[in-house]
Amino acid sequence: MSRLVIASNRVADLRQTTQTGGLAVALADAVRERGGVWFGWDGEIGEVDEPEVDQIDNVTRVALPLSEDDYTNYYLGYANSVLWPLFHYRLDLIDYRPAFFEGYRRVNRMFARHLAQFLKPDDCIWIHDYHLIPLAGYLRELGCRQRMGFFLHIPFPPSDLLEASPNHAELVDWLLQYDLVGLQTHTDVGNLTRYLEDHTPAVPVREGRFLFGERTVSVERFPIGIDFEIFEQMAQRAPDDVAVDVLRRKVLGQKQIIGVDRLDYSKGLPERLRAYGRMLAQHPELEKSVSFLQIAPLTRGDVDAYANIRLELEALAGSINGQFGDFNWTPIRHIHRPVPREKLASLFRASHVGFVTPLRDGMNLVAKEYVAAQDPADPGMLVLSQFAGAAEEMVEALVVNPYDVDEMSRRLHQALVMPRDERRRRHEALMEKVMRHDAKAWLTAFLEALGDLADKPADLS
Ligand code: ADP
C-alpha cells in the first residue's frame, strides 16, 4: 500500500488529535495507518526559509509559517476575501486585488517546492480545500507524476458566478491537474461539470470522467461526515454546569433552541435571529417557555467583510431581548466564545431544536452533530437550510429557505411543538444516514476512488 500525503492549509497537531474535530482525527488515523506526510501552514506568521519537520512514528509532519505579506495576500486576501465569498455565491462581498492573486500563486508555488522534497514516486497525494487549488499544478511543473486527489470542503459555484472572477480559467485549469476532484454535493458536481463542458477543452468520456490532454480527471461527490460514535458518546456525558442548566429549564418548563456557528456571513445569522423574533411576536403563548442559545465566535476578524457582523447581531439580539424579555427571562443568549466539543455535544442534546440556517454551506457538520447528539427516545428536531450541503441527504429535517424569515419562523414553531412520535420517526431516519455516512466512510470512499486502496487495511473497510 502506498503512503498517504496530505496537504491542507493548516496541519493538524498529530500528537493531540483527540482535541480536534472528527475530520482531523479520521485523516490522522489514515495517514498513521499507511505512513506518510502531513504538510501545511503551522498557523504562525514569520520568516522561515525551511519548514519544521517532525517525525511522529511513521508520519512526517511538515509545517511552515507564512510571511506577513503571504498571510495578508494569500490567506486573508485571495483565499478568504475572494474564493470564500465567490464559492459561497457572494459576489457582492468579493475584494479583488491583483496582489491577492499573486500571493495565492506565490504561496502555492512555494508550498509545492517544499512538499516535493518529501515525496516518493508511488505516494498517493490528497490536497484539501480552496487555499490549495493550484498545488497539484505546481507539483506537476516540478515533474511530480504521482496520483493526486483534491477535495473541496466548500461549495462550488455555478458557471455564471464563477465567470465573474477574473481568474476563473486559471482556477479550473488548476483543478484539471488532479486525477480526482471531490465535491460535497450533486449541485457542486453539476456546477463544475457544466463549467468543464462549456468552457474547457476537457471531453466527457463517461459520467464524472473527463479526458484532458493525455490525462483523465474524475469529478465525484463525497459528502463529508462526522465521527459519529465519538460525538454520540460525548453527548451523553453532560458536564456539571450543563446538567444544572438542563435541570433548571426542566423545572421552568422551558425549551431551548440552539445555533452553533463560526461568526460568518455565510451562516445566515441575522435572518435566523429575525425568524426567532418573528416567532415570538406571532406566538405570545411562548413567553418565558422558550430560549435561543446562539454560540458564534468571531473567526477571520482581520477580513473586512467580517467586521460588521458582530455589531449587527448584537444589535438584533439586543432589540429582541429588549422587546420580548422580562426581568426573569432572556429570550436570546448570544455567546462569542468558542465552546469545547464535549460541552457542545451535551448542549445539543439538551436543546429541543437545532437551528441551522446557512445561506450557503459546503456541508454543515453542525447539522450532523446535532442529530448524533440526540436522545433517540426523545430527540430534538433539526431545522435545516435547503442551501446547506447536508440538506441533500437530510430530507427528514424541517428544511427551510434561509432567506424566507416567515417560513423559518413557522418551521421553528412546528419543531417546538412536534409530537414525540413524529420526532422519533424523523430522527431515526436522520441518525441512520449520519451514522452510515461518517468521516471514515467519506475518507475510504475518496481514497478508493483515487484508486489507491487495493490492499486496504481491515479497519478502514
Ligand atoms: P464551517 O466549516 O463553515 O465552520 P461546519 O458546520 O461544517 O462549518 O463545521 C464547523 C465545525 O466547527 C463543527 O464541528 C462545529 O462543532 C465546530 N464549531 C462551530 N462553531 C463552534 C463554536 N462556537 N464552538 C466550538 N465549536 C464550533
Side-chain angles (χ1 to χ4, degrees), residues 1 74 129 209 256 292 395 409 449 451:
M1 185 172 46
Y74 152 79
D129 227 0
R209 208 153 236 239
Q256 177 163 279
F292 179 15
V395 291
S409 147

Side-chain angles (χ1 to χ4, degrees), residues 4 6 12-14 16-35 38 59 126 128 153 224-230 341 365 437-447 453 457 459-460:
L4 179 60
I6 295 173
D13 184 344
L14 289 162
Q16 286 191 24
T17 45
T18 49
Q19 289 172 27
T20 48
L23 197 59
V25 174
L27 283 168
D29 282 351
V31 75
R32 273 194 213 104
E33 186 76 46
R34 306 158 56 125
W38 197 325
V59 181
W126 188 359
H128 288 261
H153 292 251
I224 210 161
I226 61 166
D227 190 334
F228 175 83
E229 276 170 34
I230 290 188
R341 286 178 72 69
L365 295 179
H437 301 147
D438 68 353
K440 222 164 211 181
W442 166 80
L443 181 133
T444 309
F446 187 93
L447 289 177
L453 282 183
D459 74 341
L460 272 181

Side-chain angles (χ1 to χ4, degrees), residues 271 275 278 400-410:
E271 293 81 356
R278 193 152 307 173
V400 295
N401 174 353
Y403 292 93
D404 185 342
V405 170
D406 269 321
E407 187 196 22
M408 281 196 286
S409 147
R410 279 198 309 278

